Amino acid sequence: MGAWGKRDDMLVHEWEPFNAESPRHALAGRLTTGVESFYSRNHGPIPHIDPDAWRLRVDGLVDRPLTLSLGELRERFAAREIMATLQCAGNRRQGLIEVRDIPGEDPWGPGATSTALWTGVPLADVLAAAGLRAGAEHVAFSAPDVSLLADPPQPYGGSIPLTKAISGEVLLAWGMNGRPLPQAHGAPLRVVVPGWIGARSVKWLREITVQAEPSANYFQATAYRLVPPEAQAGPGVGVSLGPVALNCDILRPDGTAPVPPGPTEVTGYAYAGDDRSVVRVDVSLDGGRTWEQAELDAPVSPWSWQHWRLTVDLPPGETVLTARAWDSTAATQPESPASVWNPKGYVNNSWARLHVTATP
């Protein structure tokens, strides 16, 4: 194993802060992603927290501010398990960089997407115990990991609307795939916001603040906002990212080595964020002129990806495999990455394309 218990063939974009994604083949055919393969997105050094000394504070527009140890959290509230996919807002950014350079941003491929079985307590139950006051509209999360990306440097944070926070599926999680949450993924406690970009699932949670406005933290007010191609990022500029856009990609073949021509199984994942599901995936071998419908797994959870597969007759030579998904609102993916290019490289949900070589 490599750094932070990750597999040796993780694609590491940065060592400090540690940012790495799984290779395609390690995600193929797996409903859940092992900790060793789960992508890691950080904005500052991974903190070391003493779980015995750690406390969670709940304050702001509440009737009864709370201070809870991990033991008290587990004793006072009923635990719940949720299968949920987390996806980085920069997933598949490499495809946008190929259109136009995006300086200072990591070239994420499709592996900044992973799925786990999370164990914790619903955030809604904790907020109910604290009692919500008039004017409450947003729930902000604070963490101790300090990022130099903000000027001046500041701890990581973000917020979600109250309507999402009390919906029942948002967890304060201490477990991942049936085991204690690892340090690299937010131990002793993290937020899991199913269906929303991974940036809102704040790790190493230390404070929850109920408030009237969204968080003023840099990663809510300035970063993780979609701005037009020629705009300059700044506080409040653009659209704050929340629910994940419909997306899919190809996992096998992985494009790293030649494959034999002839019948070839093509597999991948598709994911529709928020409370949408994927209803169809199509695959093309001729750039989208013709399509064949893939076999699609039924959703195991309202909040998890779906895997798909199709056997194609792969001709000798070079082929570009193309995939597109449709969701339960009848939306599909845009054709061109050029049409979704933006200065931060977020939300590349254009058709998935993979170059493969078939040799006898």
Side-chain angles (χ1 to χ4, degrees), residues 163-218:
T163 51
K164 179 66 175 179
I166 62 175
S167 59
E169 69 269 8
V170 179
L171 286 189
L172 305 180
W174 59 70
M176 182 178 182
N177 291 339
R179 296 185 176 184
L181 192 66
Q183 179 184 352
H185 290 284
L189 194 76
R190 70 171 297 163
V191 187
V192 175
V193 185
W196 282 47
I197 61 168
R200 305 306 178 216
S201 291
V202 175
K203 300 190 288 285
W204 310 293
L205 183 65
R206 65 179 181 182
E207 186 172 11
I208 299 171
T209 303
V210 181
Q211 53 196 53
E213 302 294 335
S215 171
N217 187 276
Y218 170 83

Side-chain angles (χ1 to χ4, degrees), residues 11-358:
L11 307 176
V12 178
H13 298 297
E14 295 179 87
W15 288 102
E16 189 66 73
F18 184 64
N19 286 296
E21 64 180 293
S22 176
R24 294 175 189 258
H25 65 84
L27 300 177
R30 293 174 170 87
L31 179 59
T32 58
T33 310
V35 170
E36 73 284 353
S37 300
F38 208 100
Y39 82 94
S40 185
R41 175 66 174 113
N42 298 292
H43 301 82
I46 295 173
H48 296 266
I49 298 173
D50 179 357
D52 294 328
W54 173 89
R55 295 293 184 272
L56 173 67
R57 297 191 302 276
V58 183
D59 55 23
L61 294 176
V62 297
D63 295 322
R64 298 172 293 277
L66 304 174
T67 300
L68 299 165
S69 68
L70 187 60
E72 290 170 333
L73 191 68
R74 299 179 70 158
E75 290 169 5
R76 286 188 59 177
F77 303 96
R80 183 181 179 187
E81 289 187 333
I82 289 181
M83 181 88 69
T85 297
L86 296 186
Q87 185 172 99
C88 177
N91 187 58
R92 301 183 60 214
R93 180 183 284 134
Q94 177 60 39
L96 301 184
I97 292 174
E98 291 170 2
V99 172
R100 179 177 168 187
D101 192 26
I102 305 176
E105 298 293 340
D106 292 334
W108 294 97
T113 303
S114 303
T115 301
L117 180 65
W118 306 97
T119 305
V121 299
L123 172 61
D125 292 354
V126 175
L127 294 177
L132 297 173
R133 293 170 53 189
E137 294 290 342
H138 298 268
V139 178
F141 309 116
S142 300
D145 51 320
V146 176
S147 174
L148 300 180
L149 297 176
D151 185 17
Q154 64 178 262
Y156 188 83
S159 65
I160 58 176
L162 181 65
T163 51
K164 179 66 175 179
I166 62 175
S167 59
E169 69 269 8
V170 179
L171 286 189
L172 305 180
W174 59 70
M176 182 178 182
N177 291 339
R179 296 185 176 184
L181 192 66
Q183 179 184 352
H185 290 284
L189 194 76
R190 70 171 297 163
V191 187
V192 175
V193 185
W196 282 47
I197 61 168
R200 305 306 178 216
S201 291
V202 175
K203 300 190 288 285
W204 310 293
L205 183 65
R206 65 179 181 182
E207 186 172 11
I208 299 171
T209 303
V210 181
Q211 53 196 53
E213 302 294 335
S215 171
N217 187 276
Y218 170 83
F219 293 99
Q220 182 79 37
T222 301
Y224 292 108
R225 303 182 73 91
L226 191 66
V227 300
E230 305 306 325
Q232 295 293 321
V237 176
V239 179
S240 179
L241 296 175
V244 175
L246 171 68
N247 217 329
C248 80
D249 215 309
I250 299 162
L251 297 177
R252 192 167 50 210
D254 63 9
T256 62
V259 297
T264 302
E265 185 179 57
V266 181
T267 71
Y269 70 79
Y271 179 50
D274 210 7
D275 58 356
R276 293 165 287 125
S277 61
V278 178
V279 297
R280 177 181 175 125
V281 173
D282 299 326
V283 177
S284 176
L285 273 64
D286 56 14
R289 290 188 295 275
T290 62
W291 297 90
E292 188 172 353
Q293 187 173 351
E295 177 189 352
L296 176 66
D297 290 346
V300 175
S301 158
W303 317 109
S304 68
W305 61 10
Q306 295 163 247
H307 287 266
W308 54 266
R309 64 203 58 79
L310 177 69
T311 298
V312 302
D313 189 11
L314 199 62
E318 300 289 327
T319 298
V320 178
L321 297 174
T322 306
R324 67 181 182 189
W326 305 73
D327 73 14
S328 51
T329 70
T332 190
Q333 296 175 250
E335 176 180 350
S336 169
S339 69
V340 294
W341 189 94
N342 60 90
K344 296 291 286 183
Y346 295 140
V347 199
N348 178 18
N349 71 328
S350 60
W351 293 355
R353 295 173 172 87
L354 183 69
H355 293 257
V356 296
T357 301

